[in-house]
Amino acid sequence: MQVSGNILDTQNTPLENINVIASGSESTILNARPEEILGEGFTNAAGEFSFVSLDTDNSFYGISINHPDHENYDLDYATLHFLDSIGSRANSFELVNINLPKTQRFELKIENTTGRNDTLFYRFSYPATELYQGLNSNSFDENSFRFQTETEYWNRLMPGEDEMTIVTPTLANSNIQFKYKFSAEAVYDTINIEITPENPVYEFNF
């Protein structure tokens, strides 16, 4: 099959030297193991790519942009997977004007500044940096499943523990939802936080 297209950032600027691989998989997770790769290429200065891929009709087929397991993975950008189901396919895939979001480091700092003798239960959710979308006959399937679009973390800070810091990658210019409560039976209070490259840290003091 002929696999081609072009990749842009979120400002519609072409992205150069981004890896694009085609692979087969027995599950809905697309890996970059050598025995599963069916073809690969890189974007040029215009953000365009084109390569020939083998096909498979007895397993899932996918195209991954900026796969994290590839030796040329770019940490500054997210990963996009386009997954096609088991079965026959057309003889070409064309992914036109694919916008690849930037990633950034996010830091959550929790600190007991008042000496409060309560357990803090907390959880926060944030956009994942590895995203999946379904394909159907070489077009985006709006009704297909998406998964791994959001990551959730939860924990608690026990009495006597003064602080905790969590660092994770997320999408740049995104929103984090932080929830907290002081007893297992209580309802969570929610804080919505806007995360930008200029504002990568959120501090929660209680």
Side-chain angles (χ1 to χ4, degrees):
M1 296 187 296
Q2 187 72 30
V3 178
S4 61
N6 67 304
I7 301 172
L8 314 167
D9 65 14
T10 53
Q11 305 300 314
N12 291 323
T13 301
L15 293 177
E16 184 179 8
N17 203 34
I18 298 293
N19 76 74
V20 184
I21 66 170
S23 62
S25 177
E26 295 306 310
S27 70
T28 56
I29 301 296
L30 297 172
N31 298 302
R33 301 187 185 100
E35 66 272 16
E36 294 178 334
I37 294 179
L38 303 173
E40 65 179 308
F42 294 89
T43 56
N44 59 21
E48 299 168 342
F49 64 91
S50 181
F51 61 90
V52 174
S53 166
L54 298 175
D55 193 6
T56 174
D57 61 3
N58 59 358
S59 62
F60 290 95
Y61 178 85
I63 299 166
S64 301
I65 297 172
N66 196 37
H67 200 295
D69 295 334
H70 195 280
E71 59 184 355
N72 292 91
Y73 173 57
D74 191 333
L75 283 168
D76 291 334
Y77 290 93
T79 298
L80 301 180
H81 300 287
F82 299 95
L83 184 69
D84 198 10
S85 60
I86 296 173
S88 60
R89 274 169 281 275
N91 58 8
S92 66
F93 274 101
E94 188 175 14
L95 301 174
V96 179
N97 294 334
I98 301 299
N99 291 107
L100 195 63
K102 291 204 75 170
T103 61
Q104 73 168 79
R105 178 181 182 272
F106 166 63
E107 186 173 322
L108 172 66
K109 293 182 177 180
I110 300 174
E111 187 173 2
N112 184 349
T113 58
T114 63
R116 184 168 176 165
N117 195 35
D118 291 313
T119 298
L120 172 72
F121 298 84
Y122 67 92
R123 59 200 309 159
F124 67 97
S125 55
Y126 55 96
T129 59
E130 192 168 357
L131 309 170
Y132 277 79
Q133 181 169 357
L135 287 172
N136 185 5
S137 301
N138 193 23
S139 62
F140 298 121
D141 187 351
E142 298 299 331
N143 297 317
S144 72
F145 60 88
R146 288 171 176 251
F147 55 97
Q148 294 187 345
T149 58
E150 192 172 75
T151 302
E152 188 169 38
Y153 178 94
W154 60 91
N155 207 335
R156 55 187 175 180
L157 194 67
M158 303 292 290
E161 296 178 321
D162 295 330
E163 60 182 52
M164 181 174 291
T165 300
I166 302 153
V167 179
T168 184
T170 188
L171 297 185
N173 300 304
S174 60
N175 290 306
I176 308 297
Q177 190 173 76
F178 178 77
K179 298 181 178 182
Y180 68 95
K181 60 183 179 179
F182 291 101
S183 72
E185 297 78 19
V187 176
Y188 281 104
D189 287 322
T190 301
I191 301 173
N192 293 307
I193 309 151
E194 185 178 359
I195 300 298
T196 66
E198 297 77 27
N199 184 36
V201 178
Y202 177 69
E203 297 184 10
F204 179 80
N205 298 322
F206 67 98

